Amino acid sequence: HYTVVCAPEEGPTVFDSLVNRGLNAPPFGYETLDALALEAGSAQFATEIESRLANDTGLRDAVDFEKGCFVGQEVASRIENRGRPSTNLCGISPERCPDRGDTVLGTEGDAIGEVTSALVSPTLEEPIAMAALDAGTVSEGDTLTIETGEGPTDATVTPLPFVDGSERSGRIPTYQ
């Protein structure tokens, strides 16, 4: 995707050029981009990746352990050598759309993580979400509970992506 920035007075001309003379350049905003990314199971920087280790976000391939020193290398290497991250990003299908930061309870009723992003999928026409959950606490198909501002709602652990696209996103969390 591209973000086009121009002077306000040039906006109509730029918009017309992209829509009528561009090569399949449909206009859309950040809300659409977020929906497409979540439907694709693609971890986003501001919601799933920021302040988390690549190992925990399922993006271990983004780290080059041979490159040399970098901030956080010792911790990332320790997790790599231990063989398991402390959290996993998982897809969940809630009955009602939660908010980012809502607490996810495991099958035993204990807090096991939080919702990182959620919305009502335009394609599926139902709520979908990603959550950072304690590693090893859930399996596909498990029923969880999310504590929302409107009360608890049930959710099912769902494989990513939520919607199959033309290509599989390289940012879908994978764990070895």
Side-chain angles (χ1 to χ4, degrees), residues 17-103:
S17 294
L18 290 171
V19 171
N20 296 313
R21 292 184 275 296
L23 298 173
N24 295 322
F28 60 86
Y30 288 112
E31 189 172 306
T32 301
L33 181 61
D34 290 344
L36 290 170
L38 184 54
E39 287 181 343
S42 184
Q44 294 292 296
F45 180 76
T47 54
E48 283 83 29
I49 299 172
E50 187 176 25
S51 301
R52 291 188 172 90
L53 294 166
N55 318 62
D56 287 343
T57 60
L59 301 174
R60 182 260 174 254
D61 291 341
V63 178
D64 184 352
F65 291 98
E66 306 299 320
K67 185 176 181 178
C69 295
F70 56 89
V71 175
Q73 179 183 15
E74 183 178 330
V75 175
S77 293
R78 192 176 309 134
I79 291 170
E80 179 73 11
N81 293 332
R82 188 178 66 196
R84 71 180 209 295
S86 58
T87 62
N88 293 154
L89 286 177
C90 300
I92 52 176
S93 297
E95 290 180 359
R96 194 172 58 250
C97 197
D99 290 323
R100 182 174 181 219
D102 283 350
T103 301

Side-chain angles (χ1 to χ4, degrees), residues 108-176:
E108 303 296 320
D110 51 330
I112 60 167
E114 70 177 8
V115 173
T116 57
S117 56
L119 54 78
V120 175
S121 165
T123 304
L124 302 173
E125 297 180 346
E126 60 187 41
I128 58 174
M130 284 182 73
L133 305 177
D134 294 343
T137 57
V138 298
S139 299
E140 185 180 322
D142 284 355
T143 299
L144 309 173
T145 302
I146 302 172
E147 293 181 339
T148 73
E150 299 176 11
T153 188
D154 288 338
T156 305
V157 179
T158 307
L160 297 172
F162 292 102
V163 176
D164 287 322
S166 58
E167 292 185 36
R168 183 173 170 85
S169 170
R171 295 187 307 193
I172 292 177
T174 57
Y175 300 92
Q176 300 173 357

